[in-house]
Amino acid sequence: MCGIVGYVGDKEAAPIILDGLKRLEYRGYDSAGIAICDGSHITLRKSMGRLVKLEEAIRHEMPKGSCGMGHTRWATHGKPSDLNAHPHSDCTGEIVMVHNGIFENYSEVRDMLVAEGHVMSSETDTEVLAHLIESNYADDLATAVRESLKQVRGSYAIVVMSEREPGKLVAARKDSPLIAGFGEGENFLASDIPALLPHTRQMCVVNDGEVVELDKKQIRFTKLDGTPVEKKPMTVNWNIEAAEKGGYRHFMLKEIHEQPRAIRETLSGRIAPDGRYVNVQELAISDDYNRQLRRVQLIACGTASYACQVGRYYIEKFAGLPASVEVGSEFRYSGPIMGPETLVVAVSQSGETADTLAAIREAKSHGCKVVAITNVVGSSVSREADMVMYTYAGPEIAVASTKAYLTQIEALCLLGLDLGQRRGYIDRDRVMSVAGELKEMSAKIETIFRKNESWIEGFANENHEMPQAFFIGRGLDFATSLEGALKLKEISYVHAEAYAAGELKHGTLALVTEGTLVVALVTQPSLREKMLSNIQEVKARGAFVLAIAPEGDAELSKHVDEAVYVPRTVPELMPILAVVPLQLFAYYMAVARGNDVDKPRNLAKSVTVE
Ligand code: AGP
């Protein structure tokens, strides 16, 4: 998720673009760059680090010109560096572009272009498209862009300009957001509304498959085949703060709703088009290593450790390897008994959690290979691990982790499937059924928003004064219960405990009294009967039971007080769907209790100290 800004008009473009990028830094901030055309020549300046670093670098030599673009990066392909920062150009420097998204087939297109003599200067997928446009350019930039986009697969929001056509920007969108802004004698492009609000409230959302041609007088929209598209501007009445949250009240709710896109982008390029196999390219392990591998140790903290509780199941079921989970703060002092036969998987959204980092160093001191699963390219965890598998959730601003958790589960599922394939433990049909269902997750999460969100909000409003809550489940549902309890605790400040449902009778049941809320996860068919008896146990003590279950289990509603039904999927992937109502419940409880949802008391987004 990156930030893009484009401007064409009569004013100096650079200050307008830099100000727009500042308003989009929440979309990514590991490098920034601008490109300005003065009517004949394009000046390109970019640097690693936050936008303020670029501003300092160009303060006394601001590029001149009234047409240009800018980019603030959230790295996906290619670590944060000056070279990998956008904008990128073709061989001549005459064609320059910025991009938000992921080109899945960039390596094959790059090989083709290099064979034609193109020289790449960065590791990014974006630069490949700049050279492809160069190779397709005859005498019209928009035509060259349209032709090039037919040759790439993936997600994009791009802005392109050429010295051969000064005063003109060409843009296009597929899956990544892009907005066109209409001014007086000037026009704008941006990833998101906040960048445009100081200049205009007349905007158009660029839709998937549309190409935009703009100069200071007009904005034209076409399809990829060049067919014109008529669009009417809308008037945006948001204030800046509302716009940064995409119109949502809090970043947490925005990030919950970003999960369908985050899931899609994390999946991108990791499942063959026919769904028949999973390919985690980052998992560079040899056949010899595979043969000596005896077990997997997952290490993480907080929510990431609960994602590992789900991931452990995937590694055991799909790869046939014993797997265990340890929190970083315990592992690092536990004197672990391990060696090269153990693969360590370290999971961290920020990639900066001190306990997880220390655990990685401990594991490596025992000769273990380490795979990191992280959301931040170039983070400390990614640099210290032997292999890195990125989640593409985009920046997670709210302290309470939601979209990162979901993409961590997804990445662990892909890792388990790929390990299982390499070890011949899982057959292609099984891989296909799980991988095929992974592709359906985004749509099924959208269904939960549509069907369940308003009821959950109402239920939270009615029950926001409850003193405590219990989350119970068995197997994968117990792992989901752990995350549900943490979400509720950390933002609503209601004490909540997760319990393996079979454990209740060994003590906790003493705490269940009249009206105690018990959230029962009942998504695993093989454990459903056992869960029904645990539900009876707590009902007999006066509990109010809210069940989370797959659609179609109407009989369950006879045994509980309320039930939230989520779309069905294979049992292994139910944790991805079952957690969404729990995230929403925690969010609306915190709102009803008047808490600072995005910045809960006592907590930090990344715990970089012991
Ligand atoms: C989760 O909502 C919390 N913010 C916290 O538990 C977090 O998951 C934990 O600190 C680990 O952070 P990391 O994923 O960045 O390593």
Side-chain angles (χ1 to χ4, degrees), residues 379-411:
S379 58
S380 302
V381 162
S382 72
R383 289 197 305 274
E384 300 208 17
D386 301 295
M387 298 162 267
V388 186
M389 184 177 178
Y390 286 113
T391 55
Y392 297 123
E396 192 173 65
I397 310 295
V399 165
S401 184
T402 51
K403 60 179 184 174
Y405 170 78
L406 234 47
T407 54
Q408 286 162 1
I409 289 180
E410 183 190 15

Side-chain angles (χ1 to χ4, degrees), residues 22 110 138 170 181 183 214 267 285 314 339 493 504 521 584:
K22 215 170 287 173
R110 181 180 55 197
V170 176
L214 77 164
L267 212 49
I285 56 177
Y314 294 149
Y493 312 150
L504 276 172
L521 279 293
L584 291 168

Side-chain angles (χ1 to χ4, degrees), residues 30-33 45-50 53-54 57 81-82 85-86:
D30 58 43
S31 59
R45 299 298 302 274
K46 57 187 184 176
S47 74
M48 182 176 164
R50 300 201 71 137
K53 192 156 169 275
L54 173 70
S81 67
D82 290 350
H86 297 213

Side-chain angles (χ1 to χ4, degrees), residues 152-470:
V152 298
R153 279 198 319 272
S155 59
Y156 55 80
I158 59 170
V159 179
V160 192
M161 71 178 169
S162 168
E163 288 179 351
R164 301 180 221 175
E165 301 178 39
K168 182 177 178 183
L169 295 177
V170 176
R173 179 254 168 106
K174 178 177 173 294
D175 294 338
S176 297
L178 189 65
I179 293 165
F182 297 76
E184 299 294 324
E186 58 184 12
N187 288 308
F188 306 82
L189 288 161
S191 306
D192 212 346
I193 289 172
L196 302 182
L197 283 178
H199 310 286
T200 177
R201 290 183 177 273
Q202 298 304 307
M203 304 178 195
C204 260
V205 173
V206 181
N207 296 319
D208 281 356
E210 291 180 347
V211 176
V212 193
E213 297 174 53
L214 77 164
D215 58 30
K216 67 180 182 181
K217 293 197 179 72
Q218 63 166 352
I219 302 180
R220 286 184 61 239
F221 299 89
T222 70
K223 292 183 181 166
L224 266 186
D225 63 7
T227 315
V229 176
E230 285 309 312
K231 294 171 78 80
K232 285 203 178 317
M234 62 182 174
T235 302
V236 175
N237 296 313
W238 284 344
N239 62 34
I240 294 269
E241 194 204 351
E244 280 181 355
K245 294 173 186 146
Y248 290 100
R249 193 167 160 193
H250 298 99
F251 276 112
M252 182 179 176
L253 188 59
K254 179 186 177 197
E255 288 156 9
I256 289 172
H257 280 264
E258 282 177 343
Q259 292 182 125
R261 182 191 57 73
I263 289 265
R264 267 197 305 276
E265 299 220 346
T266 299
L267 212 49
S268 174
R270 288 172 166 150
I271 293 183
D274 67 0
R276 281 196 65 78
Y277 64 91
V278 163
N279 177 19
V280 179
Q281 293 159 0
E282 305 90 339
L283 197 60
I285 56 177
S286 66
D287 291 343
D288 286 347
Y289 178 79
N290 216 343
R291 276 191 287 275
Q292 77 171 35
L293 188 54
R294 291 291 174 272
R295 70 185 190 93
V296 174
Q297 175 66 60
L298 297 119
I299 302 171
C301 299
T303 282
S305 75
Y306 301 145
C308 289
Q309 292 291 351
V310 177
R312 173 190 152 231
Y313 178 93
Y314 294 149
I315 287 164
E316 293 192 338
K317 297 295 175 200
F318 298 150
L321 283 165
S324 55
V325 180
E326 277 257 33
V327 288
S329 53
E330 285 297 305
F331 177 83
R332 61 189 292 195
Y333 299 111
S334 64
I337 299 168
M338 60 193 335
E341 82 299 331
T342 301
L343 174 66
V344 168
V345 179
V347 180
S348 172
Q349 186 285 132
S350 62
E352 301 301 338
T353 298
D355 287 327
T356 306
L357 264 175
I360 289 175
R361 291 165 190 151
E362 174 70 21
K364 294 189 78 168
S365 71
H366 289 265
C368 302
K369 281 200 180 299
V370 177
V371 179
I373 293 177
T374 183
N375 195 39
V376 182
V377 176
S379 58
S380 302
V381 162
S382 72
R383 289 197 305 274
E384 300 208 17
D386 301 295
M387 298 162 267
V388 186
M389 184 177 178
Y390 286 113
T391 55
Y392 297 123
E396 192 173 65
I397 310 295
V399 165
S401 184
T402 51
K403 60 179 184 174
Y405 170 78
L406 234 47
T407 54
Q408 286 162 1
I409 289 180
E410 183 190 15
L412 287 162
C413 180
L414 291 165
L415 185 69
L417 290 170
D418 198 352
L419 266 180
Q421 288 172 146
R422 296 165 190 253
R423 302 175 60 78
Y425 185 80
I426 185 172
D427 66 31
R428 284 292 170 97
D429 289 343
R430 181 107 160 87
V431 172
M432 190 169 163
S433 76
V434 178
E437 270 300 308
L438 271 177
K439 290 181 178 176
E440 301 302 319
M441 289 295 102
S442 296
K444 291 187 174 181
I445 293 170
E446 296 285 4
T447 301
I448 296 171
F449 297 146
R450 225 177 19 258
K451 286 190 172 175
N452 306 109
E453 182 165 2
S454 57
W455 183 87
I456 292 167
E457 180 179 7
F459 181 76
N461 286 335
E462 283 162 27
N463 296 282
H464 69 276
E465 290 173 345
M466 72 174 71
Q468 64 173 356
F470 290 92

Side-chain angles (χ1 to χ4, degrees), residues 455-471 484-485 487-489 491-497 511 513-520 543-546 561-562 581-582 584-590 592-593 595 601:
W455 183 87
I456 292 167
E457 180 179 7
F459 181 76
N461 286 335
E462 283 162 27
N463 296 282
H464 69 276
E465 290 173 345
M466 72 174 71
Q468 64 173 356
F470 290 92
F471 292 72
K487 282 286 111 23
L488 186 63
K489 276 184 281 196
I491 59 169
S492 76
Y493 312 150
V494 172
H495 184 258
E497 278 195 67
L511 293 178
T513 57
E514 189 59 33
T516 300
L517 174 66
V518 174
V519 179
F544 180 101
V545 178
L546 167 64
D561 296 282
E562 292 288 358
L582 306 186
L584 291 168
F585 176 55
Y587 171 77
Y588 286 112
M589 282 286 284
R593 292 165 70 95
N595 295 352
R601 68 188 182 201

